[in-house]
């Protein structure tokens, strides 16, 4: 279950906390604007508002979702992201014998060590040996997990000590294993075990932090789990050419010339190209997934061929995948009727019910070949990352989950270039309607319940709610998605034949 503790960065108040004063921006000593500055500011404000009117006018003519999709296509065609300036992160360049820690991030801390770096798992330490007589680098402590703002989970994450030692005086053991490439240390503790957190807090930040090494990097995992390596080994192999190191389980002294401790994270399930060397985006991350799972998918196809298993032919009709929830909450109670309606609309339908033990390559294969994915808000919606850009993602949004649905999945899906549709259910489509009645605040004012705290949201809207779709109402969404998929296929076929 995704933890709904809101980070301040999602609220309008964030500017109050992080705004830079005019004096800091200009280098001046005063804290107030002059009259001339005020006049200029008002003029600029007026021009900005006027510009916004021209920019926003197409939204009213064509609709927000359509324009965002067209904009994503335009950016893809023009390659605008490659021209965005890169903001160089702190501690990206340091001298030998130095420990530099960047603690300015809301979500994670990052420390970089350069020189003679050695592991000491027994003391949960990483040592930096230096012969400098004037080295006064103070010891640092860091928890290499990307939810530093959430105290409750960070209390469970193992802390590492980063310590400078005099190589002339130290009697510490020498290297058992020497690596001639850098290391990245990170934890697979915390919320690992939930697919949303595994990608948002782990895999995507690992891509952001390590992609510029071009696979010439060793990953050292704190709180290592065998199952994690089995589950994500295909993806990790696209980021590193070297075996994983279990920090606690491998008691040998591993030595590196450089180490990054902790991972960089940008936002929910996304990559900010302006913060990444090479202007990498979330589409580049998806390409990593594509390469990682391609070999296994070929094997699965071969196994089916040898077993004479006939796969459904999705070439003629668009393919729709229903990501069905397992368990007793947020299920589609009339799922069988939804399947019938989708088939009547013109789709070939696959109902996918992933378990914790389901191989990721099999899930990727199903969604990578689909035109539309439907699912009820929850951690499994993370699998929208497996959809190809320009395909359709329909998220069914139960009562009381609007903010989380849009923040965690809706907005990131648009950044991937998907045609995102947020289907907010009507009160009568919720199982809570019969349980509480139309006049109860649970139905009438979900925000008032959410404001009481996470436990209320969790108990009522996440664990206590199912969905029974009004298929007459939902039919329009299916029809539009079908039409969009047919047009997209036609355009792609046309462009392919034109190139030939």
């Amino acid at each position: 279950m995704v933890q709904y503790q809101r980070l301040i960065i999602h609220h309008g108040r964030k500017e109050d906390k992080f705004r830079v004063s005019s004096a800091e921006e200009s280098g001046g000593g005063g804290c107030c604007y002059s009259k001339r500055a005020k006049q200029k500011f008002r003029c600029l404000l007026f021009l900005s508002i006027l510009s916004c009117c021209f920019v926003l006018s197409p939204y009213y003519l064509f609709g927000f979702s359509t324009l965002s999709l067209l904009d994503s296509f335009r950016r893809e065609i023009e390659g605008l992201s490659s021209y965005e300036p890169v903001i160089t992160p702190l501690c990206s360049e340091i001298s030998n014998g130095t420990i530099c820690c960047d603690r300015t991030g809301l979500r994670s801390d990052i420390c970089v060590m350069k020189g003679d770096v050695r592991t000491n798992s027994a003391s949960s330490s990483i040592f930096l040996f230096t012969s400098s007589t004037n080295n006064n680098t103070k010891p640092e402590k860091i928890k290499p997990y990307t939810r530093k703002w959430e105290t409750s989970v960070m209390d469970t994450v193992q802390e590492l000590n980063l310590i400078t030692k005099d190589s002339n005086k130290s009697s510490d053991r020498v290297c058992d294993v020497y690596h001639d490439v850098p290391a990245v240390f990170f934890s697979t503790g915390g919320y690992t075990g939930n697919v949303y957190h595994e990608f948002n807090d782990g895999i995507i930040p690992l891509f952001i932090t390590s992609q510029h090494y071009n696979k010439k990097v060793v990953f050292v995992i704190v709180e290592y789990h065998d199952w994690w390596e089995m589950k994500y080994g295909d993806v990790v192999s696209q980021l590193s050419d070297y075996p994983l190191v279990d920090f606690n389980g491998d008691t040998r002294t591993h030595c590196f010339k450089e180490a990054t401790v902790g991972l960089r994270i940008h936002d929910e399930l996304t990559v900010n190209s302006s913060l990444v060397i090479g202007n990498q985006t979330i589409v580049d991350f998806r390409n990593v997934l594509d390469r990682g799972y391609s070999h296994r998918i070929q094997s699965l196809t071969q196994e089916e061929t040898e077993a004479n298993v006939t796969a459904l032919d999705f070439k003629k009709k668009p393919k729709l995948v229903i990501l069905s929830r397992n368990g007793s909450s947020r299920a589609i109670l009339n799922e069988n009727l939804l399947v019938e309606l989708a088939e009547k609309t013109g789709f070939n339908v696959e109902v996918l019910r992933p378990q914790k033990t389901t191989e990721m390559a099999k899930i990727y294969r199903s969604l990578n070949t689909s035109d539309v994915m439907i699912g009820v808000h929850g951690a499994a919606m993370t699998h929208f990352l497996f959809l190809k850009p320009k395909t359709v993602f329909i998220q069914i949004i139960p009562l009381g989950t609007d903010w989380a649905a849009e923040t965690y999945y809706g907005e990131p899906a648009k950044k991937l270039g998907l045609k995102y549709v947020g289907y907010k259910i009507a009160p009568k489509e919720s199982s809570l309607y019969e349980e509480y009645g139309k006049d109860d605040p649970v139905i009438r004012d979900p925000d008032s319940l959410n404001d009481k705290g996470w436990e209320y949201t969790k108990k009522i809207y996440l664990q206590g709610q199912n969905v029974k779709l009004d298929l007459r109402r939902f039919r329009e969404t299916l029809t539009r998605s079908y039409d969009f998929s047919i047009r997209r296929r036609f355009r792609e076929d046309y462009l392919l034949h034109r190139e030939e």
Side-chain angles (χ1 to χ4, degrees):
M1 184 178 296
V2 178
Q3 301 302 306
Y4 280 38
Q5 296 184 14
R6 303 187 186 188
L7 186 58
I8 191 171
I9 193 171
H10 295 302
H11 298 280
R13 293 188 303 272
K14 70 175 182 179
E15 289 85 355
D16 295 334
K17 186 171 183 179
F18 302 109
R19 184 182 293 119
V20 179
S21 72
S22 59
E24 291 171 331
E25 292 173 329
S26 64
C31 64
C32 303
Y33 290 108
S34 66
K35 290 184 178 180
R36 177 177 293 181
K38 285 184 178 180
Q39 291 173 352
K40 288 183 179 180
F41 174 77
R42 289 169 182 165
C43 182
L44 288 172
L45 181 61
F46 173 76
L47 291 174
S48 299
I49 293 172
L50 186 61
S51 299
C52 287
C53 292
F54 287 107
V55 171
L56 292 175
S57 58
Y59 283 88
Y60 296 101
L61 293 173
F62 301 107
F64 281 88
S65 59
T66 303
L67 188 62
S68 64
L69 185 68
L70 291 173
D71 183 63
S72 69
F73 293 170
R74 177 180 60 78
R75 288 176 61 82
E76 182 178 319
I77 293 171
E78 297 178 2
L80 293 182
S81 61
S82 62
Y83 296 100
E84 294 177 355
V86 175
I87 301 173
T88 304
L90 294 176
C91 301
S92 56
E93 295 182 7
I94 62 172
S95 57
N96 259 345
T98 303
I99 300 175
C100 175
C101 290
D102 177 5
R103 302 189 187 274
T104 61
L106 287 171
R107 298 168 180 263
S108 67
D109 292 331
I110 298 286
C111 291
V112 179
M113 310 172 73
K114 194 168 185 180
D116 183 359
V117 180
R118 307 182 194 180
T119 61
N120 187 285
S121 58
S123 62
S124 296
S125 299
I126 307 173
F127 297 140
L128 175 63
F129 287 85
T130 175
S131 58
S132 173
T133 56
N134 297 320
N135 196 316
N136 296 317
T137 303
K138 65 176 182 178
E140 300 281 359
K141 293 181 180 292
I142 184 173
K143 294 186 175 184
Y145 190 62
T146 58
R147 296 188 78 84
K148 84 171 191 181
W149 55 276
E150 195 170 344
T151 306
S152 58
V153 70
M154 291 303 288
D155 286 343
T156 70
V157 175
Q158 181 177 345
E159 187 173 63
L160 298 180
N161 305 299
L162 312 184
I163 301 172
T164 301
K165 288 199 169 188
D166 189 339
S167 58
N168 297 318
K169 299 178 181 179
S170 177
S171 59
D172 288 83
R173 59 191 296 177
V174 295
C175 303
D176 295 316
V177 183
Y178 179 78
H179 304 269
D180 60 356
V181 296
V184 172
F185 290 72
F186 64 97
S187 172
T188 55
Y191 290 130
T192 302
N194 174 293
V195 68
Y196 165 81
H197 290 289
E198 286 165 6
F199 274 91
N200 187 70
D201 304 343
I203 299 295
I204 294 177
L206 184 61
F207 167 78
I208 292 169
T209 307
S210 67
Q211 55 82 29
H212 67 284
Y213 289 120
N214 296 318
K215 301 177 71 174
K216 304 305 178 185
V217 59
V218 173
F219 297 143
V220 184
I221 302 182
V222 182
E223 299 168 285
Y224 168 89
H225 304 284
D226 286 330
W227 64 263
W228 187 91
E229 182 173 2
M230 291 180 63
K231 187 174 183 178
Y232 294 109
D234 290 336
V235 179
V236 172
S237 67
Q238 299 303 307
L239 300 176
S240 171
D241 285 332
Y242 301 88
L244 298 176
V245 175
D246 175 1
F247 180 78
N248 295 304
D250 187 343
T251 58
R252 296 177 298 174
T253 298
H254 289 261
C255 298
F256 305 91
K257 291 183 177 179
E258 183 178 333
T260 299
V261 187
L263 301 177
R264 300 189 185 278
I265 180 172
H266 295 161
D267 207 341
E268 311 299 335
L269 296 174
T270 197
V271 178
N272 184 339
S273 62
S274 68
L275 300 177
V276 180
I277 298 173
N279 288 131
Q280 303 289 303
T281 69
I282 191 63
V283 175
D284 295 295
F285 171 76
R286 193 195 174 281
N287 292 339
V288 168
L289 299 181
D290 209 50
R291 294 193 299 270
Y293 292 128
S294 62
H295 180 73
R296 176 56 181 151
I297 288 174
Q298 290 175 4
S299 299
L300 290 170
T301 304
Q302 182 65 29
E303 290 170 9
E304 289 178 356
T305 302
E306 294 173 356
N308 294 319
V309 176
T310 302
L312 291 174
D313 184 7
F314 294 114
K315 293 182 180 179
K316 296 181 179 179
K317 293 183 178 181
K319 175 183 175 182
L320 182 147
V321 174
I322 298 173
L323 206 58
S324 183
R325 285 186 60 83
N326 300 301
S328 58
S329 68
R330 283 168 286 155
I332 302 175
L333 299 177
N334 54 346
E335 186 178 277
N336 58 329
L337 296 179
L338 173 61
V339 172
E340 292 178 9
L341 177 61
E343 289 175 340
K344 289 179 181 178
T345 303
F347 288 105
N348 275 322
V349 181
E350 177 185 350
V351 179
L352 185 61
R353 296 184 175 90
Q355 308 286 337
K356 282 193 173 182
T357 55
T358 302
E359 191 176 349
M360 294 296 282
K362 292 182 177 180
I363 302 173
Y364 187 87
R365 182 192 186 195
S366 292
L367 294 174
N368 185 53
T369 56
S370 70
D371 297 278
V372 180
M373 182 184 93
I374 296 176
V376 180
H377 168 68
M381 294 302 96
T382 304
H383 293 113
F384 80 77
L385 292 166
F386 295 0
L387 295 170
K388 288 182 178 178
K390 305 180 187 179
T391 55
V392 181
F393 168 32
I394 303 172
Q395 180 177 206
I396 297 171
I397 305 175
L399 296 182
T401 65
D402 295 19
W403 177 87
E406 295 299 327
T407 300
Y408 295 131
Y409 306 110
E411 291 302 319
K414 295 172 189 176
K415 294 175 183 177
L416 183 58
L418 301 181
K419 171 69 172 178
Y420 171 71
V421 180
Y423 179 84
K424 296 181 181 180
I425 69 169
K428 288 186 177 181
E429 293 177 276
S430 171
S431 62
L432 299 175
Y433 187 84
E434 293 184 1
E435 183 178 351
Y436 289 91
K438 65 178 182 179
D439 296 323
D440 192 282
V442 168
I443 304 298
R444 183 171 43 81
D445 188 14
D447 286 343
S448 67
L449 272 294
N450 287 330
D451 288 343
K452 291 184 178 181
W454 157 247
E455 290 302 321
Y456 283 86
T457 300
K458 177 181 176 183
K459 181 179 179 181
I460 297 173
Y461 296 116
L462 299 180
Q463 295 180 341
Q465 180 175 200
N466 288 311
V467 173
K468 187 175 182 179
L469 291 172
D470 179 346
L471 295 178
R472 289 185 178 181
R473 180 172 178 246
F474 195 73
R475 180 184 285 111
E476 182 180 355
T477 299
L478 280 179
T479 301
R480 289 184 176 181
S481 298
Y482 177 83
D483 292 342
F484 178 86
S485 299
I486 291 295
R487 291 196 302 271
R488 179 183 62 81
R489 283 189 170 199
F490 177 79
R491 286 194 301 269
E492 290 178 353
D493 289 343
Y494 170 76
L495 292 173
L496 181 63
H497 288 122
R498 191 175 67 173
E499 290 177 359
E500 293 174 352

